[in-house]
Amino acid sequence: QVQLVESGGGLVQPGGSLRLSCAASGFTFSSYYMYWYRQAPGKQRELVASVTSAGNTNVAESVEGRFTISRDSAENTVYLQMNSLKPEDTAVYYCSLRLGLSNYWGQGTQVTVSS
């Protein structure tokens, strides 16, 4: 079955960096778009970044120039490199996949940006 397992979250000071990883299994990873979402307390889940099966990327305006999404099909892993982090980036970050009519989510990883 499809499994998405995020890691790499933590507590970081403003201006710091983190790299999130999402290990995927149970489907042909190289064939599908992959997504990173985040959800801050009291807010709706929002799309942060996406990467196509060909490796083309897109990021939300709020993180443009600071976050980069990438994928490694040899490792079945998608990454989110986050630089110049701000307190407003604090959220639970989720890896996601749309497979047919179903959306799959990982368990999430907490990112807290605070001094």
Side-chain angles (χ1 to χ4, degrees):
Q1 70 277 22
V2 172
Q3 283 195 317
L4 301 171
V5 180
E6 301 98 333
S7 61
L11 173 63
V12 62
Q13 292 187 342
S17 298
L18 284 173
R19 188 175 82 153
L20 306 183
S21 300
C22 172
S25 61
F27 63 101
T28 307
F29 177 80
S30 59
S31 297
Y32 293 92
Y33 287 38
M34 296 296 298
Y35 305 89
W36 282 101
Y37 283 78
R38 67 185 181 186
Q39 187 166 20
K43 295 190 176 181
Q44 289 191 333
R45 194 169 294 190
E46 64 172 345
L47 177 62
V48 176
S50 62
V51 58
T52 72
S53 55
N56 298 312
T57 64
N58 193 39
V59 297
E61 188 175 335
S62 59
V63 304
E64 195 163 9
R66 301 188 297 120
F67 290 14
T68 304
I69 186 172
S70 62
R71 66 190 300 158
D72 184 339
S73 291
E75 297 291 332
N76 284 6
T77 301
V78 59
Y79 301 99
L80 186 67
Q81 178 66 45
M82 306 186 295
N83 299 328
S84 302
L85 282 160
K86 304 176 181 180
E88 52 263 43
D89 295 318
T90 295
V92 179
Y93 284 72
Y94 297 92
C95 176
S96 180
L97 157 76
R98 183 169 179 85
L99 191 61
L101 298 178
S102 300
N103 290 313
Y104 292 88
W105 301 90
Q107 82 286 354
T109 186
Q110 176 70 47
V111 172
T112 302
V113 185
S114 175
S115 55

